[in-house]
């Protein structure tokens, strides 16, 4: 008996010290001889930590069945299923199978952390598969008011931000655009770090409602000279729908010039630029872009049927052997650089920097900064130390701007200074 007690003590000490490899055989021997619930939980823990899921799963199911009211066994059962089946659920798996698995874990009454993890995993999978009704249903199973902390340390998104981002997506794709817009408007000060993502969804809602001018105005709030290239592309495509060709070309050229230059990601962008040059009757430049598109598609063994038809309308020569991707890219870059100085709408050399007028936004006494929003939709950062005394949120001000650098976003920007209350 004393030998069993000694082994129990030793196994627990090794487990607590993190020496799982040494603890496992002791727990295994103890469980086989005693069928004790503590030994079962300890053995499952060791299997799980060592990712021996083939052994962990059947033991976890057996132990939870025998000791359903023992908290440690229950938790090991829950986390074994999460790690072995939720975290490894195949990307091309069946949504119904995942729902069944999540419901199975929920039956065991997981704690708040485990519950949140499995439901968020299901929601993310539903979003990827465009199963918006499933997404909306499961989102409402989470009480958003208790969410805090970070779901994804690498991106910095909080649980609550992620919940609302999924919620707006779910509303947007189930024809509830007005509610989606309302959420973004109500949460814009709370989720200012993720502003571009929420404003983009709002713009999509406006597009669905046919309010293209509002969509463009929303994009212009978040698109700057060094914003993500795909935002410039989306804005350019909106301008195209309005037949505003100069503005469309400006945005698309910005998108082309902004890193990263992963050609397979930008192939539709180059196609769009070619279409714009065709509208402007610059056929040689259009052809260069269509040839670049074809060269990229050939490299990835993608279909070229539609691009071949465009090329054949511009030239009778269509020899694949002469399609050198890098050479064509350099030719197109020369065209972009030639045009960008004339087309660029956000040229710092032409930007007005003095005697601007705007409204104070996002101002709180305890916050060391706020923003000033102008009538044309631009927003400028300012330090609270630069504000006049007794300033209030929403107050009209006159100010100057100077070039600055946003360390968090790693982009050049402007900040407001010399601020005074406007009459």
């Amino acid at each position: 008996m004393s030998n069993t007690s000694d082994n129990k003590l030793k196994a627990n000490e090794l487990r607590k010290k993190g020496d799982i490899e040494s603890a496992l055989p002791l727990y295994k021997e103890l469980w086989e001889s005693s069928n004790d619930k503590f030994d079962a939980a300890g053995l499952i823990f060791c299997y799980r930590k060592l990712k021996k899921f083939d052994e962990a799963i059947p033991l976890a199911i057996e132990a939870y069945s025998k000791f359903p009211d023992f908290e440690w066994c229950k938790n090991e059962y829950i986390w074994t299923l999460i790690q072995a089946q939720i975290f490894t659920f195949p990307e091309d798996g069946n949504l119904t199978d995942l729902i069944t698995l999540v419901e199975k874990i929920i039956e065991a009454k997981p704690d708040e952390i485990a519950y949140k993890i499995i439901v968020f995993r299901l929601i993310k999978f539903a979003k990827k598969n465009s199963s918006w009704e499933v997404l909306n249903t499961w989102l409402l199973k989470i009480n958003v008011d208790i969410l805090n902390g970070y779901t994804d340390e690498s991106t910095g998104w909080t649980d609550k931000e992620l919940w609302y981002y999924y919620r707006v997506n779910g509303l947007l794709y189930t024809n509830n655009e007005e509610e989606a817009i309302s959420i973004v408007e109500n949460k814009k000060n709370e989720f200012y770090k993720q502003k571009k993502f929420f404003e983009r969804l709002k713009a999509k809602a406006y597009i669905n409602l046919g309010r293209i001018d509002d969509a463009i105005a929303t994009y212009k709030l978040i698109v700057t000279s060094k914003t993500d290239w795909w935002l410039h592309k989306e804005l350019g495509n909106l301008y195209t729908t309005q037949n505003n060709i100069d503005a469309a070309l400006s945005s698309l050229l910005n998108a082309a010039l902004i890193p990263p230059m992963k050609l397979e990601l930008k192939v539709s962008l180059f196609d769009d630029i070619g279409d714009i040059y065709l509208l402007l009757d610059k056929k040689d430049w259009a052809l260069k872009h269509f040839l670049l598109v074809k060269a990229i598609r050939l490299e990835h063994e993608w279909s070229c049927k539609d691009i071949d038809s465009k090329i054949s309308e511009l030239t009778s020569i269509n020899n694949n052997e002469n399609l050198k991707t890098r050479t064509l890219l350099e030719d197109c870059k020369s065209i972009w650089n030639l045009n960008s100085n004339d087309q660029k709408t956000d040229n710092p050399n032409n930007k007005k920097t003095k005697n601007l007028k705007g409204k104070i936004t996002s101002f709180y006494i305890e916050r060391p900064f706020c923003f000033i929003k102008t009538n044309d939709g631009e927003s400028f950062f300012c330090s609270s130390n630069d504000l006049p005394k007794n300033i209030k949120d929403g107050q009209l001000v006159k100010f100057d701007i100077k070039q600055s650098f946003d360390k968090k976003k790693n982009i050049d920007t402007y900040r407001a200074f010399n601020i005074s209350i406007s009459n």
Side-chain angles (χ1 to χ4, degrees), residues 5-136:
S5 299
D6 289 344
N7 284 343
K8 282 179 179 286
L9 287 172
K10 187 174 182 181
N12 285 328
E13 287 176 2
L14 290 168
R15 173 177 57 82
K16 290 176 182 179
K17 289 178 180 179
D19 189 354
I20 309 301
E21 292 275 6
S22 300
L24 189 148
L26 290 174
Y27 275 121
K28 187 175 181 180
E29 182 180 339
L30 287 165
W31 167 245
E32 289 173 351
S33 63
S34 69
N35 276 330
D36 178 78
K37 60 185 179 180
F38 287 96
D39 298 332
L43 181 55
I44 300 166
F45 176 89
C46 291
Y47 281 142
R48 180 169 63 83
K49 287 296 182 180
L50 295 173
K51 298 183 179 180
K52 296 178 179 289
F53 296 126
D54 288 342
E55 294 89 346
I57 292 174
L59 179 57
I61 294 171
E62 179 187 355
Y64 178 57
S65 175
K66 286 183 176 180
F67 316 112
D69 298 324
F70 183 48
E71 198 70 15
W72 189 9
C73 271
K74 185 190 79 168
N75 287 336
E76 288 302 327
Y77 166 78
I78 289 169
W79 283 103
T80 295
L81 293 184
I82 290 174
Q83 289 182 248
Q85 297 181 342
I86 296 290
F87 288 172
T88 62
F89 195 81
E91 292 187 6
D92 59 350
N94 185 283
L95 177 59
T96 302
D97 292 341
L98 182 58
I99 292 173
T100 300
L101 179 57
V102 168
E103 289 175 339
K104 180 180 178 181
I105 297 172
I106 289 176
E107 286 177 2
K109 298 181 180 179
D111 62 23
E112 186 178 295
I113 294 174
Y115 182 89
K116 181 186 67 177
I117 287 173
I118 61 175
V119 175
F120 266 122
R121 285 273 176 158
L122 174 54
I123 291 166
K124 185 177 181 180
F125 193 85
K127 177 179 180 291
K128 181 181 177 182
N129 288 273
S130 300
S131 301
W132 304 110
E133 293 295 345
V134 172
L135 180 146
N136 286 331

Side-chain angles (χ1 to χ4, degrees), residues 260-277:
M261 193 53 66
K262 292 184 178 179
L263 302 186
E264 65 274 17
L265 298 180
K266 292 188 174 183
V267 65
S268 65
L269 168 65
F270 303 147
D271 196 5
D272 291 342
I273 295 174
D275 288 338
I276 293 291
Y277 281 133

Side-chain angles (χ1 to χ4, degrees), residues 2 87 304 335:
S2 61
F87 288 172
C304 294
I335 297 170

Side-chain angles (χ1 to χ4, degrees), residues 55 58-59 114 175 248 315 326 328 334-335 364 366 400 403:
E55 294 89 346
L59 179 57
N175 302 315
T315 180
R326 290 298 161 186
L328 288 165
S334 298
I335 297 170
Y364 304 98
E366 66 276 9
D400 301 334
Q403 285 190 288

Side-chain angles (χ1 to χ4, degrees), residues 195 221-227 346 348 351-353 370-372 378-382 400-417:
K195 177 180 177 180
L221 288 175
I222 55 176
V223 172
T224 63
S225 60
K226 292 188 178 180
T227 308
D346 191 23
K351 196 173 190 73
K352 182 179 179 182
T353 60
C370 67
F371 296 89
I372 302 177
E378 285 198 271
S379 184
F380 298 100
F381 174 91
C382 66
D400 301 334
I401 58 172
K402 58 184 176 181
Q403 285 190 288
S404 183
F405 185 76
D406 189 326
K407 292 182 179 179
K408 286 187 177 180
K409 297 181 179 179
N410 195 34
I411 61 172
D412 293 315
T413 184
Y414 292 89
R415 65 178 295 160
F417 74 109

Side-chain angles (χ1 to χ4, degrees), residues 62-284:
E62 179 187 355
Y64 178 57
S65 175
K66 286 183 176 180
F67 316 112
D69 298 324
F70 183 48
E71 198 70 15
W72 189 9
C73 271
K74 185 190 79 168
N75 287 336
E76 288 302 327
Y77 166 78
I78 289 169
W79 283 103
T80 295
L81 293 184
I82 290 174
Q83 289 182 248
Q85 297 181 342
I86 296 290
F87 288 172
T88 62
F89 195 81
E91 292 187 6
D92 59 350
N94 185 283
L95 177 59
T96 302
D97 292 341
L98 182 58
I99 292 173
T100 300
L101 179 57
V102 168
E103 289 175 339
K104 180 180 178 181
I105 297 172
I106 289 176
E107 286 177 2
K109 298 181 180 179
D111 62 23
E112 186 178 295
I113 294 174
Y115 182 89
K116 181 186 67 177
I117 287 173
I118 61 175
V119 175
F120 266 122
R121 285 273 176 158
L122 174 54
I123 291 166
K124 185 177 181 180
F125 193 85
K127 177 179 180 291
K128 181 181 177 182
N129 288 273
S130 300
S131 301
W132 304 110
E133 293 295 345
V134 172
L135 180 146
N136 286 331
T137 298
W138 280 89
L139 264 177
L140 298 180
K141 293 178 184 288
I142 296 178
N143 181 2
V144 66
D145 294 328
I146 67 171
L147 292 180
N148 52 50
Y150 288 94
T151 294
D152 190 334
E153 294 288 348
S154 64
T155 63
W157 280 70
T158 66
D159 298 333
K160 186 171 287 190
E161 287 169 341
L162 194 57
W163 189 95
Y164 275 105
Y165 183 71
Y166 287 141
R167 180 61 174 157
V168 174
N169 265 289
L171 292 169
L172 186 61
Y173 289 99
T174 52
N175 302 315
N176 292 289
E177 289 86 0
E178 295 290 357
E179 188 176 350
I181 293 168
S182 177
I183 289 176
V184 176
E185 282 295 301
N186 290 334
K187 295 294 178 180
K188 62 184 178 182
N189 291 334
E190 186 176 350
F191 301 148
Y192 62 91
K193 287 184 179 179
Q194 314 299 348
K195 177 180 177 180
K196 69 179 179 182
F197 299 104
F198 282 98
E199 291 293 323
R200 179 176 181 250
L201 292 182
K202 185 171 75 173
K204 286 190 172 186
Y206 283 137
I207 292 169
N208 288 356
L209 294 170
R211 296 164 58 178
I212 305 302
D213 287 338
D214 288 330
I216 288 175
T218 302
Y219 268 104
K220 288 173 71 175
L221 288 175
I222 55 176
V223 172
T224 63
S225 60
K226 292 188 178 180
T227 308
D228 302 89
W229 68 269
W230 43 269
L231 286 172
H232 287 269
K233 179 183 184 296
E234 291 174 1
L235 177 57
N237 291 338
L238 274 180
Y239 280 131
T240 302
T241 64
Q242 287 197 320
N243 205 32
N244 188 345
I245 302 305
D246 287 341
L249 181 59
S250 174
S251 291
L252 296 178
L253 290 179
N254 283 339
L257 289 164
I258 292 172
M261 193 53 66
K262 292 184 178 179
L263 302 186
E264 65 274 17
L265 298 180
K266 292 188 174 183
V267 65
S268 65
L269 168 65
F270 303 147
D271 196 5
D272 291 342
I273 295 174
D275 288 338
I276 293 291
Y277 281 133
L278 204 55
L279 287 173
L280 295 171
D281 202 32
K282 296 184 177 180
K283 295 180 180 179
D284 288 344

